[in-house]
Amino acid sequence: MTTVGVLALQGGVREHVRLLQSLGARTALLRVPSDLAGPDGPRVDALVLPGGESSTIDRLLRLFGLREPLADAIRGGTPTLGTCAGLILLARRVLDPAPGQQSLGVLDVTVRRNAFGPQLDSMEADLDTPDGPARVAFIRAPEVTEIGPGVEVLARREGRVVGVRQARITGVAFHPELTDEPLFHRRLLSEARASR
Ligand code: GLN
């Protein structure tokens, strides 16, 4: 059985847990380094970084000493899905950060926080992805403004990049878990099975 670690410091954790469990995965909530790895090695086969407030999650990651172990696990090839604030945490460069805000810098993209303005602040949308159509929710979403050479675009909204993948790291500006859209989590689980 695949165990997915869901970062549970702040934000929309429950919806990811429910969706992952409905797809047959086991879930583990991540708050401190020992949730990620124990004396016998890694405790999770894949990772989810949920939405929420990226600057708060960043602060808590550093407070709980989880920032470096988490970045190492992702750099080491653990399949990872970041949604909304999770994408911001993964990104190498963040535009319009909160004061002092840092990111993990593991995904070679630039993101702009709160990129869609008040009118498009929150809405559901249908997107085309390489795995088929996806119905998702946007809530104060970032956009990807620059992508590095190894990064594939997975989805656009009004021509702007809102989903990317680099090796086993997927970052999306939206929330598939709020509309019960299983496509991205299903892919995460198959990547985890393939890399075991
Ligand atoms: N705007 C939030 C941030 O900058 C992200 C919003 C979300 O995760 N739904 O962290």
Side-chain angles (χ1 to χ4, degrees):
M1 201 184 210
T2 304
T3 303
V4 182
V6 181
L7 185 63
L9 298 173
Q10 189 265 340
V13 175
R14 232 178 352 197
E15 293 81 1
H16 282 289
V17 166
R18 209 182 37 208
L19 182 50
L20 288 161
Q21 289 178 353
S22 78
L23 297 172
R26 192 183 314 160
T27 54
L29 300 183
L30 303 180
R31 294 199 178 91
V32 293
S34 58
D35 295 332
L36 201 51
D40 307 326
R43 296 203 153 126
V44 301
D45 307 303
L47 292 163
V48 167
L49 277 51
E53 173 47 50
S54 56
S55 58
T56 303
I57 300 174
D58 161 50
R59 223 164 352 98
L60 294 173
L61 274 176
R62 287 185 274 150
L63 191 67
F64 288 100
L66 191 55
R67 182 178 189 272
E68 288 314 314
L70 183 64
D72 286 346
I74 299 170
R75 277 194 217 102
T78 307
T80 299
L81 171 64
T83 62
C84 204
L87 162 63
I88 298 168
L89 285 165
L90 291 169
R92 190 152 294 163
R93 294 161 297 271
V94 179
L95 303 178
D96 298 333
Q101 179 170 1
Q102 297 177 17
S103 63
L104 300 174
V106 292
L107 174 62
D108 188 11
V109 299
T110 304
V111 297
R112 183 191 309 281
R113 294 171 70 225
N114 306 324
F116 287 91
Q119 244 152 19
L120 299 175
D121 220 2
S122 304
M123 59 152 353
E124 286 193 17
D126 292 301
L127 304 176
D128 288 322
T129 82
D131 294 332
R135 181 153 192 91
V136 300
F138 285 83
I139 303 171
R140 297 182 62 73
E143 74 169 312
V144 177
T145 58
E146 265 184 299
I147 63 172
V151 178
E152 178 193 355
V153 172
L154 296 182
R156 291 177 195 269
R157 173 179 169 197
E158 293 148 12
R160 296 151 86 178
V161 176
V162 291
V164 290
R165 175 162 56 224
Q166 180 179 18
R168 293 189 191 129
I169 306 173
T170 299
V172 296
F174 43 81
H175 296 270
E177 77 285 3
L178 294 183
T179 48
D180 283 323
E181 171 56 69
L183 187 148
F184 299 92
H185 295 73
R186 202 174 271 148
R187 177 179 264 275
L188 181 74
L189 296 177
S190 60
E191 281 176 4
R193 278 190 297 269
S195 62
R196 246 195 321 201

